[in-house]
Amino acid sequence: MSFNLMKLLSRLGTAAALLAAMASPLQAEERPAKELFGARALPAAMQTQAYGSYAKGCIAGAVAIPTDGPAWQAMRLSRNRRWGHPEMIALLEQFSQDAQKLGWPGLLLGDISQPRGGPMLSGHASHQMGLDADIWFTPMPDRRMSAQEREQLPFTSMLDKSKFLTVDSRRWTSTHARLVMKAASYPQVERVFVNPAIKKKLCETWQGDRSLLGKVRPIYGHDEHFHIRIKCPPGSANCKGQAAVPAGDGCDKSLAWWFTKEPWAKPEPKKNQKPVKPRYVKLSDLPKSCAAVLAGPAPASEQEVTYGGGAAMAFAAQPAADDGIAAVIAADGGAEPASLIPIPLPRPSLQ
């Protein structure tokens, strides 16, 4: 089924989905939304549309990036999170080509979104509209990895774990810096999230166009990968964007705050306070259209909705190098020791 045919069927599909959603049993609404969206293996065969916000939304008509491309490999395939808005998938293809021109071997793609977006079972608060994507700081190997290798390859932190919020000069290179700043250079990219230490390193060393540094935003974690977020695409009337990035390069007091005790202080428990049972996001908490997206028809196969019209088969057929995996940055698991960087609860949203 072509994308044009999918668009022609979208009106009928949307109407049917709305009826199905209205007829859904109450027990489905009682389940956490992450379980409902996490159970969908394929996208909604509807006209592409992002609904809601980055941390509370969904997507209809998502497409998958092929597991392998000329300049990328998708990781952690078992998660089924290589789905996104066509605008995001097209950007990743372009970025992968531009990255090689910078001297980067190719991209290792982390999570983008679930087939229908929505809350995930683990790992993210955002990535719900197919407009977010994670890129590993580990360069792509010089051969095509097996599915098992993609599951087991450890992350590589860019931080020196013996020091507080300090980039490890043995791992971080000028090419890493150029890669992050190239991501920030695309006009459709709204923000690039990195660890505060990486932002500080860029502030201290970047010699290129510093007007783009404002897009690079510090946040917890993000020492093993960086996170690209694009704007709501044109025609996305139901997509809620973020406020504009503040003026300036961001190398100011807002960055200095991350190097104080406040962001890392553990919350002090209140006396006689009873434990609060966590409340999971439900379908009713999301935009109303997400019920139709969840109940919408699925395409006949994954290949029909893979970016490039099933290009995964063509890419997989390309000859691969016979050499072993190229030497990559030594990995150490990537988890931040609690003694160095305690995790505050709750974390602030990505801004």
Side-chain angles (χ1 to χ4, degrees), residues 191 214-215 217 243-250 252 254 351:
R191 286 166 169 77
K215 286 187 180 182
R217 312 301 294 173
V245 172
D249 59 12
D252 49 23
S254 64
Q351 298 295 328

Side-chain angles (χ1 to χ4, degrees), residues 48-210:
T48 301
Q49 189 66 238
Y51 296 102
S53 62
Y54 298 98
K56 187 175 288 186
C58 61
I59 179 172
V63 297
I65 194 164
T67 57
D68 297 281
W72 76 80
Q73 294 186 43
M75 303 298 288
R76 306 298 195 254
L77 300 179
S78 64
R79 296 183 179 185
N80 196 27
R81 296 176 180 176
R82 56 188 178 90
W83 301 87
H85 194 287
E87 294 283 343
M88 170 56 83
I89 305 303
L91 173 66
L92 293 175
E93 180 184 39
Q94 180 64 55
F95 183 36
S96 70
Q97 297 171 5
D98 293 340
Q100 286 190 327
K101 296 175 184 177
L102 297 174
W104 192 256
L107 303 179
L108 293 184
L109 304 178
D111 291 347
I112 305 173
S113 184
Q114 298 178 136
R116 305 186 187 208
M120 293 184 179
L121 288 171
S122 63
H124 302 282
S126 59
H127 290 255
Q128 295 195 25
M129 295 193 296
L131 304 178
D132 296 280
D134 290 340
I135 310 295
W136 287 29
F137 278 125
T138 305
M140 187 179 80
D142 60 359
R143 72 174 179 87
R144 205 166 308 288
M145 290 184 286
S146 67
Q148 183 177 4
E149 288 175 309
R150 298 177 201 229
E151 295 295 327
Q152 297 179 349
L153 185 68
F155 296 107
T156 301
S157 174
M158 294 292 103
L159 301 188
D160 183 341
K161 298 304 180 68
S162 68
K163 302 175 182 178
F164 175 71
L165 282 186
T166 301
V167 169
D168 192 333
S169 59
R170 298 167 298 178
R171 299 176 179 178
W172 181 261
T173 68
S174 60
T175 309
H176 285 91
R178 291 196 298 271
L179 189 69
V180 171
M181 296 306 296
K182 183 60 182 179
S185 72
Y186 299 107
Q188 63 268 50
V189 170
E190 187 174 54
R191 286 166 169 77
V192 179
F193 297 109
V194 298
N195 185 273
I198 294 175
K199 169 73 176 185
K200 182 173 182 288
K201 187 71 171 180
L202 290 170
C203 287
E204 294 171 344
T205 62
W206 183 246
Q207 299 297 317
D209 183 358
R210 294 184 67 87

